[in-house]
Amino acid sequence: MTNVVVVGSQWGDEGKGKIVDWLSERADIVVRYQGGHNAGHTLVIDGTSYKLSLLPSGVVRPGKMAVIGNGVVVDPHALIAEIEKLAGQGVTITPDNLRVADNATLILSLHRELDAMREDAASNSGTKIGTTRRGIGPAYEDKVGRRAIRVMDLADLDSLPGKVDRILTHHNALRRGLGVAEVSHQTIMDELTSVAERVLPFRDTVWLFLDKERRRGARILFEGAQGSLLDIDHGTYPFVTSSNTVAGQAAAGSGMGPGALGYILGITKAYTTRVGEGPFPTELKDEIGEFLGQKGHEFGVVTGRKRRCGWFDAALVRQSVATNGITGIALTKLDVLDGLEELKICIGYMLDGEQIDHLPASQGAQARVEPIYITLEGWKESTVGARSWADLPAQAIKYVRQVEELIGAPVALLSTSPERDDTILVTDPFED
Ligand code: GDP
Ligand code: IMO
Ligand code: MG
């Protein structure tokens, strides 16, 4: 028995929500440890769809504890709105099933505004990142700059005014430079006091809670957001998010030691998608890309933007297997490939006449690489809803085996539709 970390091995939207929901039956606690409400995780249970951004995907299962760790940036308005939205779907969230780390950073309205202002300005010069405009980057900047307001500060009304002054000194200087109105001390104080009563009941010393639970033998499932190629260090910088998304962050972002992490499950889409700007070597701007987008319903959960689609990039996922220490993968959306005559898999790149087996770190080189492909025969049969290997066509099995060989990690789970139970279990990550 072990704890399990779920990470995205591509550019996000690999199907983490579905797999976390499925695995959470076997877990006691589900923990988010980075990112914020830039994430959009979809669960489909008996035809009912739940879209979660900030709350861990285990929250819909009765009797499970959901935890938002210190590594998450928490927009209190988004948190309250998501709790209310789920209440409308019959999911009750109270301090009995949700804890928020008292040392997590808060996203304020000035972060959202700065994110949007920067993106608008960059659009004019063609340098935008294509962020979700949720204030994620600016909030992490304030955290690292040691001027953030944190969850626990909502309860410390004596020291809060000084903290507000500190953050405003920085932001108002920026706002003057951008030519927008300054924010008053009172505005931020009002914003914080208006949410305090709703947020504070959930606050907890999460590292202590997790330590006690671990000692008692609880099974802990960590839910990553985004994907490894969006990692602030290991991703396609600067077209990345502002947190470390790799599995190691599960420890730092929750306060549990890395020794307790256990099995690292990389969620891997059977093709590749990306939303927002940045390099994408296997992108298909043709009718096959369109086919994948339509069949896979590739539209962003958070922003509704159309996701860019392309062939499976084994070189990228092999890189993620290394940077995350992936033990095994959950291969999702295999069904979307049904009906394609042939399938390509990228096995490496050509860069300035040389063959390389990984994505180089420089922005210029990332834009120049040309994928090297192998071609496999497709399959005509439907794999939608397959629940055992025996239901898969021989060519689909060949594709899966080829993926495993090229990325250097085995398939532990295989997903064949958005529905919770359309999942094939090969190896139980909690028992490995
Ligand atoms: P996440 O951000 O990694 O949780 O993924 P998203 O929820 O943003 O995007 C994945 C989408 O694919 C969602 O609409 C899921 O319902 C859907 N999905 C997940 N697994 C499968 C699958 O195996 N087949 C199909 N067709 N859809 C899937
Ligand atoms: P889930 O958890 C896909 C992308 C944005 C943009 C970049 C930076 O659902 O897989 P940010 O708002 O984080 O500063 O945006 O990161 N991005 C995601 N792409 N899935 C996500 O989350 C993402 N979260 C952020 O599109 O390119
Ligand atoms: Mg998503």
Side-chain angles (χ1 to χ4, degrees):
M1 189 206 81
T2 183
N3 299 316
V4 175
V5 183
V6 162
V7 284
S9 71
Q10 293 149 317
W11 276 292
D13 303 326
E14 298 91 349
K16 297 177 291 294
K18 164 173 170 165
I19 300 297
V20 169
D21 168 59
W22 190 88
L23 282 172
S24 64
E25 188 186 14
R26 297 165 149 76
D28 301 298
I29 305 172
V30 185
V31 186
R32 275 281 306 269
Y33 55 86
Q34 49 70 232
H37 65 313
N38 50 348
H41 296 176
T42 317
L43 288 50
V44 185
I45 304 163
D46 296 332
T48 303
S49 165
Y50 301 85
K51 292 181 188 299
L52 302 173
S53 282
L54 191 50
L55 294 170
S57 297
V59 83
V60 300
R61 282 195 194 261
K64 308 292 173 184
M65 178 61 91
V67 171
I68 295 179
N70 55 276
V72 176
V73 280
V74 180
D75 180 325
H77 303 287
L79 178 66
I80 294 164
E82 200 165 315
I83 290 173
E84 280 170 4
K85 190 176 85 179
L86 280 178
Q89 290 192 282
V91 179
T92 307
I93 294 167
T94 69
D96 287 336
N97 63 347
L98 174 68
R99 302 288 164 87
V100 180
D102 54 7
N103 50 350
T105 291
L106 292 177
I107 299 181
L108 310 179
S109 49
L110 51 75
H111 294 126
R112 277 196 309 278
E113 289 163 18
L114 182 58
D115 197 351
M117 283 188 285
R118 282 177 176 162
E119 284 287 281
D120 288 341
S123 295
N124 301 329
S125 58
T127 55
K128 71 170 178 171
I129 307 282
T131 73
T132 58
R133 296 174 173 247
R134 298 283 165 110
I136 305 293
Y140 275 118
E141 286 169 34
D142 281 350
K143 172 180 176 170
V144 177
R146 293 165 291 191
R147 55 181 171 265
I149 311 275
R150 307 198 293 174
V151 169
M152 65 177 79
D153 296 329
L154 296 172
D156 188 1
L157 293 178
D158 291 339
S159 65
L160 191 55
K163 294 201 160 106
V164 170
D165 280 341
R166 190 173 159 78
I167 198 168
L168 278 183
T169 303
H170 177 81
H171 278 270
N172 280 335
L174 274 176
R175 293 171 77 100
R176 282 194 296 276
L178 288 163
V180 295
E182 292 186 22
V183 181
S184 74
H185 181 92
Q186 197 55 45
T187 304
I188 301 296
M189 286 301 290
D190 289 348
E191 181 179 351
L192 294 171
T193 44
S194 74
V195 294
E197 207 177 297
R198 293 294 305 277
V199 173
L200 283 173
F202 296 103
R203 83 167 173 151
D204 200 356
T205 310
V206 157
W207 67 265
L208 190 59
F209 172 76
L210 291 177
D211 188 54
K212 280 189 191 145
E213 289 294 314
R214 183 182 65 81
R215 287 172 198 277
R216 154 184 105 71
R219 286 179 172 203
I220 306 173
L221 175 60
F222 293 88
E223 177 177 7
Q226 290 83 52
S228 309
L229 273 306
L230 288 170
D231 181 280
I232 187 76
D233 290 300
H234 300 287
T236 45
Y237 192 91
F239 302 101
V240 292
T241 192
S242 296
S243 64
N244 280 115
T245 61
V246 291
Q249 177 63 15
S254 68
M256 240 174 72
L261 294 184
Y263 192 103
I264 314 293
L265 182 69
I267 314 302
T268 305
K269 206 180 273 193
Y271 49 101
T272 313
T273 62
R274 147 158 236 180
V275 59
E277 308 302 316
F280 183 173
T282 63
E283 183 170 13
L284 291 165
K285 292 182 176 161
D286 58 8
E287 67 283 358
I288 299 179
E290 198 57 33
F291 170 93
L292 294 173
Q294 289 301 326
K295 199 146 175 245
H297 302 289
E298 297 295 355
F299 295 91
V301 175
V302 173
T303 58
R305 288 177 294 174
K306 200 171 169 180
R307 296 175 184 151
R308 301 153 63 193
C309 298
W311 293 122
F312 185 76
D313 190 336
L316 278 191
V317 177
R318 190 165 59 229
Q319 202 161 323
S320 294
V321 168
T323 55
N324 290 280
I326 285 172
T327 322
I329 66 164
L331 190 65
T332 62
K333 302 191 100 163
L334 186 71
D335 55 294
V336 175
L337 301 179
D338 293 352
L340 284 171
E341 221 149 88
E342 54 180 37
L343 303 165
K344 292 192 178 185
I345 298 181
C346 169
I347 55 166
Y349 313 101
M350 290 304 291
L351 175 66
D352 305 332
E354 304 251 325
Q355 188 169 334
I356 51 172
D357 63 359
H358 63 276
L359 197 64
S362 102
Q363 192 181 341
Q366 285 177 358
R368 284 203 309 283
V369 295
E370 291 287 337
I372 303 167
Y373 288 117
I374 56 166
T375 304
L376 279 78
E377 207 182 307
W379 56 91
K380 292 202 169 48
E381 303 87 334
S382 168
T383 63
V384 179
R387 292 189 184 184
S388 78
W389 281 103
D391 297 337
L392 297 176
Q395 280 308 125
I397 294 175
K398 253 193 189 166
Y399 184 81
V400 175
R401 295 294 178 222
Q402 185 72 77
V403 165
E404 288 179 315
E405 195 183 312
L406 288 169
I407 65 169
V411 168
L413 290 156
L414 193 87
S415 166
T416 56
S417 103
E419 266 291 342
R420 177 189 268 176
D421 292 325
D422 291 338
T423 306
I424 300 172
L425 175 67
V426 181
T427 309
D428 184 342
F430 282 107
E431 299 298 339
D432 197 56

